Amino acid sequence: MAERSTAAVDVADNSGNEPLTAQAAQATSDGVDTQNGRAADGPMPDKDGERTNPAPAAAPELHSGHKLARRYRLEECVTRVDGFSSWRAMDEKLRRAVGVHLMPADHARARSVLAAARSSALLGDPRFVQVLDAVEENDLVYVVHEWLPDATELTALLAVGPLEAHEAYQLVSQVSQAMAAAHREGLAHLRLTPSAILRTSTGQYRIRGLAVNAALRGITSETPQRADTEAIGALLYAALTQRWPYESDAYGLTGLPKGVGLIAPDQVRAGVHRGLGELAMRALANDGATASRQEPACTTPDELAKAVAAMPRIRPPEPAFTAPPEYQHTTYQQGSYGRPPTHPGAQATRTIAVPPNPLQSRTGRVLKWGVAALLIAALGLGSWQLADTLLDRVKGDSGGTNNSESPKTNGDEKKPAESKQLRIVNASVFGKDPIKSEDADKAIDNNRDTAWVTKIFYGYEGKFGNLDSYDDGSGIVVDLGSVQEVTGIDVDMRSAGHKVEVRAAAPEASSPRGISDFPQDFVKLGNAGKKLEATVETPIKTRFVLVHITALPSEGGGDGFRGGINEIKVLGIGDQPTP
């Protein structure tokens, strides 16, 4: 009979006399996992010092709709690597979304994953994404955890730009305090990457994968506190500079120049908060760096949390207010109401003599009759001119000899055409090996709930696994049917964090295929948010527009990368009607 145990049961039989985390996860910081260009479902190769036990070649073959314990319905696979898979699922009993990690019960790391999940659940700290269940059932081991739909990964935040000083202070303060509390209970994370940090809509930072992420990948360490501290320092460094503090690119961030070593954040980017920059260097001093003021390195999360608390508090930026218009005095404020007397004996009010109506005098009456006469004369003259004009028009309509043309007014001049949404007659997937070409029309169906979505790629920080078939990236090419004058683009991306550009084909192009066939630059290559909108002053003449993706955002906090496009709209002044 299969054994079923929840996350709240006693795990003493798995722990012995050591802390639970000592068995579940002890490792150096795992750095950047890659698959060396393998396809999405391929196994993750071992890396020196990280994989301690051999693992099965593939995760369990489950599908969307499968139910676990007659309760958790699997909906979408977000990671499949190294013998396990991670899913977004629905808890049908409590009617809420959850996350699920799955692996075979005979997996070499199944026991350590169960122990790590149960020990993490016993911590119960709300600063961590909570483990809800840890089960061995029907030859499967699965771990159920919270799913936060309103939270944003730090990876996506950094894709837009570096954090403001107060936000970076909140990040390092909350994460270091949370990890200090975890280490006091004998728990380590060992995989504190930007995708493991979530920022909720209320501004709170929460950490996911405590002990469990390291156990899933077989990561161990002899100095777990030092490894977690250095990882927090790397997160702070990235938040201040939008650069990864090592030579290799990672998590959508560019690494430091090769051969120069670790340099201070204020030498990478101007305007970095000096105190936070020095704090990042003290945490990263574990890797051989020297703090700028020769202060001792922080080697544990508790030391780092105390160093953050000792800093002068960084206040949030002042909200920007629009200055009110200058106060205008009216006639109602011209008296002495509300003004103090000029001397103690002065009265607060004074009597103002009201002058007589000027039109009641003799001169006023003459003026009144004169104005009335002028108005009558003006009305008569206007009526005569109007009648004369109407007569001329009647003569012209009946074949009269008056052929003079009336001068054109400003309203008769031709107005410039206004931009409007152009009709898209077709969409296709760009690239040597088109990805899900059957879904291309979902990017132009005027429905933002449907989308063209790529496969999951692993490694090389979302650059399509560095595969030859995708070395030009991917994206969607829209066909306007004929050459149009394009003035704007409105793209709804699947999520923030894509590296994307928009290009247009030459007017004479009939079937563009490669990137060289789109020479007209519409939107420069860069990291995009959820919305990509742009306009140009001078219209671009083209028939084909390419939304070109060169790198994908992280998917679900794992090692996979996936992107897509929900909807594309092209604006212009062409003659094609919108459907």
Side-chain angles (χ1 to χ4, degrees):
M1 182 179 296
E3 175 190 358
R4 171 168 166 75
S5 305
T6 64
V9 302
D10 185 8
V11 293
D13 57 328
N14 291 322
S15 60
N17 296 324
E18 295 182 76
L20 294 172
T21 315
Q23 298 179 17
Q26 293 179 344
T28 57
S29 179
D30 57 322
V32 185
D33 284 334
T34 68
Q35 286 197 55
N36 296 328
R38 295 178 181 268
D41 293 337
M44 174 74 74
D46 291 349
K47 294 177 65 178
D48 295 340
E50 291 190 6
R51 310 292 190 261
T52 57
N53 298 312
E61 290 296 333
L62 299 177
H63 55 81
S64 299
H66 183 89
K67 282 189 182 181
L68 301 173
R70 298 182 180 179
R71 174 175 179 176
Y72 305 112
R73 187 182 72 250
L74 303 182
E75 293 192 341
E76 181 183 10
C77 181
V78 296
T79 301
R80 188 186 300 273
V81 61
D82 212 13
F84 72 90
S85 60
S86 299
W87 294 75
R88 175 175 58 84
M90 174 61 66
D91 182 350
E92 295 187 336
K93 184 175 182 180
L94 297 181
R95 298 180 180 274
R96 63 178 178 181
V98 294
V100 178
H101 299 304
L102 277 166
M103 62 170 44
D106 59 355
H107 193 289
R109 295 193 289 271
R111 311 313 304 174
S112 61
V113 168
L114 280 175
R118 293 167 181 171
S119 58
S120 175
L122 292 174
L123 179 63
D125 192 321
R127 292 172 292 192
F128 295 91
V129 175
Q130 298 295 299
V131 172
L132 305 175
D133 213 350
V135 181
E136 180 178 357
E137 182 180 62
N138 296 333
D139 299 326
L140 286 176
V141 166
Y142 57 91
V143 175
V144 183
H145 60 86
E146 283 184 289
W147 187 275
L148 306 177
D150 66 332
T152 305
E153 285 185 9
L154 182 59
T155 307
L157 296 176
L158 295 181
V160 178
L163 301 187
E164 180 269 330
H166 176 263
E167 196 64 36
Y169 172 82
Q170 292 295 325
L171 167 69
V172 67
S173 176
Q174 294 181 32
V175 173
S176 60
Q177 290 178 20
M179 288 310 305
H183 277 282
R184 283 193 291 270
E185 300 297 327
L187 290 167
H189 195 291
L190 306 181
R191 195 172 167 76
L192 277 172
T193 65
S195 58
I197 308 300
L198 304 176
R199 186 184 186 277
T200 66
S201 57
T202 60
Q204 179 187 7
Y205 286 94
R206 298 187 67 180
I207 305 170
R208 63 180 168 191
L210 178 65
V212 175
N213 281 5
L216 285 168
R217 292 163 176 84
I219 300 173
T220 59
S221 174
E222 295 179 357
T223 55
Q225 294 203 56
R226 180 173 177 177
D228 281 345
T229 305
E230 184 175 353
I232 300 173
L235 294 175
L236 176 59
Y237 193 102
L240 295 172
T241 65
Q242 204 185 11
R243 297 285 292 271
W244 192 240
Y246 303 101
E247 291 186 354
S248 59
D249 297 348
Y251 312 107
L253 302 173
T254 304
L256 298 180
K258 298 185 183 298
V260 300
L262 181 63
I263 54 180
D266 55 4
Q267 295 177 358
V268 177
R269 175 177 168 267
V272 171
H273 188 278
R274 184 174 181 180
L276 291 175
E278 291 176 351
L279 196 66
M281 294 294 285
R282 291 177 63 186
L284 287 169
N286 307 325
D287 197 37
T290 302
S292 57
R293 288 168 48 182
Q294 302 299 324
E295 295 186 3
C298 298
T299 58
T300 67
D302 188 59
E303 291 178 359
L304 182 58
K306 291 179 180 177
V308 175
M311 287 180 56
R313 186 172 178 270
I314 301 176
R315 297 184 178 276
E318 294 291 337
F321 292 103
T322 304
E326 184 178 355
Y327 183 72
Q328 300 292 331
H329 288 281
T330 67
T331 55
Y332 294 100
Q333 283 84 35
Q334 290 179 356
S336 60
Y337 177 79
R339 300 178 184 175
T342 56
H343 58 84
Q347 295 182 356
T349 60
R350 62 181 179 180
T351 303
I352 300 177
V354 180
N357 190 336
L359 295 181
Q360 298 299 324
S361 63
R362 181 176 180 181
T363 303
R365 287 194 296 272
V366 172
L367 180 61
K368 180 171 64 174
W369 286 109
V371 170
L374 289 174
L375 289 175
I376 293 172
L379 288 173
L381 180 60
S383 300
W384 176 79
Q385 290 179 343
L386 177 61
D388 187 59
T389 301
L390 292 175
L391 288 174
D392 289 341
R393 289 185 180 180
V394 172
K395 291 179 181 180
D397 294 339
S398 60
T401 59
N402 188 6
N403 295 324
S404 61
E405 296 182 359
S406 60
K408 293 184 178 180
T409 63
N410 292 336
D412 297 328
E413 296 178 357
K414 184 178 180 181
K415 297 182 179 179
E418 296 182 357
S419 295
K420 60 184 178 181
Q421 182 181 342
L422 299 178
R423 178 169 60 93
I424 298 174
V425 300
N426 187 33
S428 58
V429 178
F430 175 81
K432 299 175 183 176
D433 185 7
I435 302 171
K436 297 186 179 179
S437 56
E438 67 277 7
D439 291 340
D441 289 340
K442 293 182 179 179
I444 61 169
D445 60 358
N446 290 319
N447 184 1
R448 296 180 185 270
D449 294 331
T450 61
W452 167 76
V453 183
T454 71
K455 300 181 293 188
I456 297 181
F457 294 84
Y458 294 99
Y460 295 93
E461 302 310 317
K463 298 176 183 176
F464 294 89
N466 205 32
L467 299 174
D468 293 339
S469 301
Y470 309 105
D471 56 1
D472 276 346
S474 187
I476 293 292
V477 178
V478 296
D479 181 1
L480 302 177
S482 62
V483 175
Q484 303 291 320
E485 294 186 4
V486 177
T487 59
I489 190 80
D490 180 358
V491 184
D492 183 22
M493 306 300 294
R494 180 172 179 262
S495 61
H498 293 73
K499 196 167 185 179
V500 64
E501 63 180 346
V502 180
R503 307 186 68 86
E508 64 274 10
S510 59
S511 57
R513 297 181 181 275
I515 193 67
S516 61
D517 295 332
F518 295 87
Q520 302 187 82
D521 196 4
F522 196 97
V523 177
K524 298 288 186 182
L525 181 65
N527 290 325
K530 183 71 168 58
K531 293 281 293 182
L532 176 61
E533 297 176 323
T535 58
V536 292
E537 294 182 359
T538 304
I540 297 176
K541 291 187 176 181
T542 186
R543 173 181 171 181
F544 301 95
V545 177
L546 166 63
V547 181
H548 184 214
I549 301 173
T550 63
L552 304 171
S554 174
E555 174 73 7
D559 299 316
F561 297 86
R562 174 185 279 180
I565 299 174
N566 290 348
E567 195 66 32
I568 300 175
K569 294 182 179 179
V570 180
L571 305 178
I573 54 178
D575 56 0
Q576 297 242 11
T578 304

